[in-house]
Amino acid sequence: LCCCEYVDRRGERNHLAACCCDCQDLDEGCERWLTGKSLSPGTLERIVDTVADRVRIPWFAGAVKINISLVPPLVLLPVFLHVAALHFLLGLVILTSLPVVVLWYYYLTHRRKERTLFFLSLGLFSLGYMYYVFLQEVVPRGHVGYSQVVTLTCGLILMLAALSRAKKDPGYLPISSSNKRSLQQGSFNKSVKGSSNGVTTSGAASSRALNGEAKGYSRMSAEEPEGVKKDWCAKCQLVRPARAGHCRLCGRCVQRLDHHCVWINSCVGERNHQAFILALSSFMLTAVYGITLTLHTICSGRTPFVALFYCPGAYSDYSSALSFTCVWYCAIVTAGMGYILLIQLLNISYNVTEREARLALRDNTGRRLLGGLVIDTGQYNRGFLCNWSHFLSLGSSPPQRSAEDIV
């Protein structure tokens, strides 16, 4: 392939110059729109898939596909922040609408069970752009010392290191090669005739998995000793240990699954939960420190909390207005991340995961505490100190493997 050629999603050789050609769905959609007819079901989805497949850049061994979800934060965030810095009312409208748009996109992708890099791109680019504005607009004013810049930079590096660790394996349960082939073929989920496709399970577990009971997982294996609860996952076709769960977005079972975090585009499980908490904590400390330094610079003589709501000279020049707008954007993001961190810390204190809390609410088996901020299932709660000791020891021992896996 030359630098402008690629193999499209249909397996055909294509060229970047033909990006606007041969799109029957787009032609049909435009024709129906011009004639006032409604679109056929699935037309928009097919158009979006075609556009996503053709958005590429030239590269040495062929054109490289660009994930469309990476582009909006890189383009829209600087534009919105610069427009918001033009006037107070513009800033109020934009900073109010941004969280609404992000939440709408989250619910849209969550409902469609799609993985997206939009939130990870938004988070990383927001960090980089806020740091750039801090160095370009705040530091030259002379109110921020060299040691304070170094401290802020170290906090940012620590957060990125923890984020990189949290992006790694959350604790996926191993899948045998035969199960991998079954998952790739999709025969187990598409048909109840799993026994004819070479899927071998044991006794009643097989029948209940084929019937799709409990949405893909149920049943305790009869071969397990009493007192050890293990469930059969029909989607991964394995017996998973207690507190493990199946992520519908990743398509894998995770040890001690907490939740799937869109901000890291990965699950939070046994092996990366500590790094996830460290990333959130370092982000909170770094963001609050950066907000404080900026407000002390553009609104001197006032406490940060008062200056956040009352800073008369913020819009006296464009540099101060941009810094103040970025401070408010950081404050909104920090408040959201602070709520997530608070829920995580409370769950750790009661030794409950987000997944277990949702299941307890659904089955009405848990009790709400602290105004509903935490759901205590009582199943694994052993006291504050024991719960935190258990959390800090997560991932310290290697996962046990059965004799079948070893063979």
Side-chain angles (χ1 to χ4, degrees), residues 118 145 152 155 246 278 325 338:
F118 173 83
L152 186 68
H246 183 88
L278 178 60
T325 302

Side-chain angles (χ1 to χ4, degrees), residues 373-394:
L373 291 177
V374 63
I375 307 299
D376 183 19
T377 61
Q379 188 174 3
Y380 302 101
N381 189 1
R382 300 296 181 268
F384 181 83
L385 295 179
C386 291
N387 293 338
W388 272 95
S389 176
H390 170 74
F391 172 77
L392 295 176
S393 62
L394 287 178

Side-chain angles (χ1 to χ4, degrees), residues 148-163:
Q148 294 172 321
V149 175
V150 172
T151 302
L152 186 68
T153 305
C154 291
L156 186 63
I157 294 175
L158 175 62
M159 194 222 65
L160 292 176
L163 182 62

